[in-house]
Amino acid sequence: MVMNLYILLLVSLPEAFLNLIIGLLITGKKENLKINTQNVLKFATAIILMLTSSWLIRPISPNIVTSITLHIIAYVLIVMLMYRMKLIYALLGTSFFLLIMTTTEILYTPYLITYVFKGMVNFQNAYHWYVLLVIPQRIFQIIVANFLWKHEILLATQINRRFHRLFLTSILTLLFGEQLLYFVYVTIFDRMQLVYQITFSVSLLVIVLILNILIFKLVYTVITGLVVKSYNKYCEFENDVKFALDEIRSLLANNKVDEAVKLIEYINE
């Protein structure tokens, strides 16, 4: 109980706090992060529910796939309940912050387990180190939250439904794939010879980096395309407006009021 309480307050609480911020920012709910009584109560309630669900799910999960699935379901329901969010947006926000957590964890935690703590048992018993070990995760979460706060990417509210499905499918596939690799790595690492251990370690690192780069390249490409398309449409609209105003001005200058009125009516149709 002491260990669980220690992890809950010093590891899980900051994690849930930053995850919820990221989830709200990526789904266009920035206004819910403004400090007022209603937002604070809603945010605190969501955090308590997230921690409670995690507390209940972890002991009953027989494997990593079940654990991730149950966490996704719980978090999605909590976000939908507390913030009146549509299912697709809640899934996008939840899967996005879970992918961030999984990616940062896989980039260094498996190597700590196998090379520093010499196995999962020793790692689990060294819970008093967890606060220090998760610092890279917290730093990356803060970086992501700060970036989303400044630039307001709003993936869930500004991208079309086709991208919703594509992005969500990619994230969930990557999320479960990374967790499976993580599980396999930690499970069979001790049984492998040194050369295979090194090969597996390097391969895991490279695969995770490449897959995440491809995902965010997809996001960048889609967003860039939308921005360019919107800019081109704006330029066309601006040119059309200028042309129409010039025509109206010319008609009025020649005392052709009726024709100018007809043109204005035509534009308003």
Side-chain angles (χ1 to χ4, degrees):
M1 179 64 70
V2 175
M3 181 186 76
N4 288 337
L5 186 61
Y6 173 88
I7 295 174
L8 181 73
L9 296 178
L10 298 182
V11 178
S12 298
L13 178 58
E15 175 185 304
F17 180 87
L18 291 170
N19 279 340
L20 185 55
I21 290 176
I22 292 171
L24 292 175
L25 288 174
I26 203 68
T27 51
K29 296 290 185 179
K30 186 176 181 179
E31 70 277 3
N32 290 110
L33 293 173
K34 295 179 180 178
I35 299 178
N36 57 55
T37 303
Q38 182 179 359
N39 284 347
V40 170
L41 288 175
K42 190 180 296 185
F43 190 89
T45 303
I47 291 293
I48 292 173
L49 291 174
M50 289 172 69
L51 292 177
T52 302
S53 63
S54 184
W55 182 291
L56 296 173
I57 290 171
R58 291 181 186 277
I60 65 172
S61 301
N63 54 62
I64 193 65
V65 174
T66 303
S67 178
I68 290 295
T69 302
L70 292 176
H71 274 90
I72 290 175
I73 294 172
Y75 291 163
V76 166
L77 291 175
I78 291 168
V79 173
M80 290 177 63
L81 173 66
M82 297 304 304
Y83 292 98
R84 308 298 183 191
M85 197 179 295
K86 293 182 179 179
L87 175 61
I88 185 65
Y89 296 165
L91 275 171
L92 280 168
T94 299
S95 59
F96 185 77
F97 70 64
L98 285 177
L99 178 62
I100 290 173
M101 291 301 302
T102 298
T103 300
T104 52
E105 184 176 359
I106 288 179
L107 289 178
Y108 71 94
T109 304
Y111 312 112
L112 292 176
I113 294 173
T114 53
Y115 292 111
V116 177
F117 294 97
K118 307 300 181 182
M120 180 60 75
V121 176
N122 293 333
F123 177 74
Q124 291 175 336
N125 291 333
Y127 65 89
H128 48 280
W129 286 101
Y130 285 8
V131 174
L132 294 177
L133 296 179
V134 297
I135 287 178
Q137 284 184 320
R138 300 296 168 266
I139 292 174
F140 191 66
Q141 283 179 292
I142 292 171
I143 291 173
V144 172
N146 183 63
F147 180 82
L148 293 175
W149 182 274
K150 287 183 177 180
H151 299 282
E152 298 190 42
I153 299 300
L154 307 182
L155 286 181
T157 57
Q158 299 298 322
I159 310 298
N160 58 46
R161 291 183 179 179
R162 183 180 179 185
F163 180 78
H164 283 163
R165 294 192 294 269
L166 177 61
F167 186 63
L168 183 57
T169 301
S170 300
I171 285 185
L172 290 176
T173 301
L174 186 55
L175 176 62
F176 280 99
E178 288 182 353
Q179 287 287 353
L180 182 59
L181 286 173
Y182 186 4
F183 175 76
V184 172
Y185 178 88
V186 174
T187 302
I188 70 173
F189 189 83
D190 292 336
R191 308 172 194 171
M192 293 188 289
Q193 299 178 4
L194 179 60
V195 64
Y196 296 121
Q197 289 180 346
I198 296 173
T199 302
F200 200 166
S201 298
V202 175
S203 299
L204 178 63
L205 182 64
V206 171
I207 290 172
V208 170
L209 286 175
I210 290 177
L211 290 177
N212 278 274
I213 289 172
L214 291 175
I215 285 292
F216 288 99
K217 183 180 179 181
L218 168 66
V219 174
Y220 176 80
T221 301
V222 172
I223 291 176
T224 302
L226 290 173
V227 171
V228 171
K229 184 177 180 180
S230 299
Y231 177 75
N232 290 337
K233 285 186 176 180
Y234 171 78
C235 290
E236 292 176 2
F237 174 75
E238 187 178 37
N239 291 333
D240 291 341
V241 170
K242 287 181 179 179
F243 176 79
L245 290 175
D246 288 340
E247 287 293 313
I248 294 171
R249 189 181 298 111
S250 176
L251 291 171
L252 292 175
N254 294 317
N255 293 321
K256 297 180 179 180
V257 178
D258 291 339
E259 294 183 21
V261 171
K262 289 181 180 179
L263 180 58
I264 294 173
E265 291 176 349
Y266 174 77
I267 293 174
N268 289 329
E269 290 180 355

